[in-house]
Amino acid sequence: AQSVAQPEDQVNVAEGNPLTVKCTYSVSGNPYLFWYVQYPNRGLQFLLKYITGDNLVKGSYGFEAEFNKSQTSFHLKKPSALVSDSALYFCAVRNTGTASKLTFGTGTRLQVTL
Amino acid sequence: GAVVSQHPSRVICKSGTSVKIECRSLDFQATTMFWYRQFPKQSLMLMATSNEGSKATYEQGVEKDKFLINHASLTLSTLTVTSAHPEDSSFYICSARVTRGITYEQYFGPGTRLTVT
């Protein structure tokens, strides 16, 4: 069975500082990894994904994530946080099978303050 | 491109009534759609996989007679919550799958907040 762990319920960071939201995964075979963001009472918006290739993936709104196979991690990062980045962030994984389904982590709330 | 809409965005109904939620892929065709449920401050739980022209596949623990799913066309899937009860109150999110070569992408709708009184 595949699973995703987001160990932090909430991450607090001051605007302008770098942010990291952690994610580790477990999946059989090669993983496809995703980050989504959710604003209050809204659906999920795609941020970025890792399929293959370069371990550092760049996505929307200045976010990036680094795939680390040995640590089975896919942490989300941004060099300089904005107050508008405050939202709920979900990491998700599936394997490369065509019938594979996404499994989501429990989410991490990012709070960026002035 | 790849926009998924849901209607209604918010619905309040009385206990015992049925509610239908629509999920549409606006600019693409989706042979497969997914329905998720999200409780407050929790993650998305997959309820069922909806395939166009065939019966939905429900996840373990999801009552198929309570949560009726119909995927009548390549752009529309509906979720009907039958005989709703307060414990069915939740945020329901649909997602449409698009095949891209050997892999696929999932696009999510904005969600429907159901409140059963």
Side-chain angles (χ1 to χ4, degrees):
Chain A
Q2 57 195 37
S3 64
V4 176
Q6 292 182 242
E8 304 153 316
D9 289 338
Q10 180 156 329
V11 169
N12 299 307
V13 65
E15 187 174 57
N17 285 357
L19 69 87
T20 299
V21 182
K22 295 179 180 177
C23 171
T24 58
Y25 67 91
S26 173
V27 69
S28 60
N30 293 319
Y32 288 167
L33 294 154
F34 304 82
W35 275 102
Y36 293 90
V37 59
Q38 184 181 35
Y39 295 97
N41 294 309
R42 302 291 298 275
L44 272 64
Q45 295 179 33
F46 170 79
L47 277 181
L48 51 81
K49 67 181 179 185
Y50 171 82
I51 301 296
T52 187
D54 194 348
N55 290 343
L56 184 64
V57 179
K58 293 187 182 297
S60 307
Y61 312 120
F63 284 92
E64 59 188 29
E66 186 164 11
F67 170 61
N68 187 315
K69 188 173 183 177
S70 63
Q71 297 184 5
T72 61
S73 66
F74 190 57
H75 301 329
L76 181 69
K77 300 181 180 184
K78 187 173 182 180
S80 178
L82 298 172
V83 172
S84 58
D85 293 330
S86 299
L88 188 58
Y89 290 80
F90 289 99
C91 181
V93 69
R94 68 176 181 90
N95 66 28
T96 58
T98 54
S100 178
K101 301 170 187 174
L102 276 177
T103 296
F104 289 87
T106 50
T108 298
R109 185 163 301 281
L110 174 65
Q111 188 70 46
V112 182
T113 54
L114 291 172
Chain B
V3 177
V4 177
S5 71
Q6 278 184 245
H7 179 81
S9 58
R10 187 182 295 268
V11 58
I12 301 173
C13 71
K14 293 185 182 296
S15 186
T17 62
S18 295
V19 173
K20 180 185 285 188
I21 303 170
E22 293 185 348
C23 176
R24 293 182 184 273
S25 55
L26 296 186
D27 49 4
F28 64 99
Q29 294 182 331
T31 56
T32 302
M33 291 184 174
F34 303 92
W35 287 95
Y36 295 86
R37 183 173 180 177
Q38 185 181 28
F39 291 102
K41 299 184 180 180
Q42 293 190 27
S43 188
L44 279 73
M45 300 301 296
L46 180 64
M47 298 174 65
T49 302
S50 167
N51 295 299
E52 187 267 337
S54 65
K55 292 183 178 180
T57 303
Y58 291 81
E59 296 299 302
Q60 192 173 8
V62 178
E63 298 176 62
K64 63 179 181 181
D65 294 330
K66 180 167 188 61
F67 298 100
L68 300 178
I69 292 173
N70 187 312
H71 195 154
S73 78
L74 290 172
T75 59
L76 173 65
S77 176
T78 60
L79 168 68
T80 300
V81 183
T82 62
S83 187
H85 290 285
E87 57 265 32
D88 299 325
S89 299
S90 191
F91 194 54
Y92 293 87
I93 302 175
C94 75
S95 176
R97 189 170 92 171
V98 177
T99 300
R100 299 206 187 282
I102 62 171
T103 184
Y104 69 81
E105 305 277 351
Q106 269 186 250
Y107 299 94
F108 290 81
T112 296
R113 170 80 55 197
L114 170 63
T115 303
V116 185
T117 60

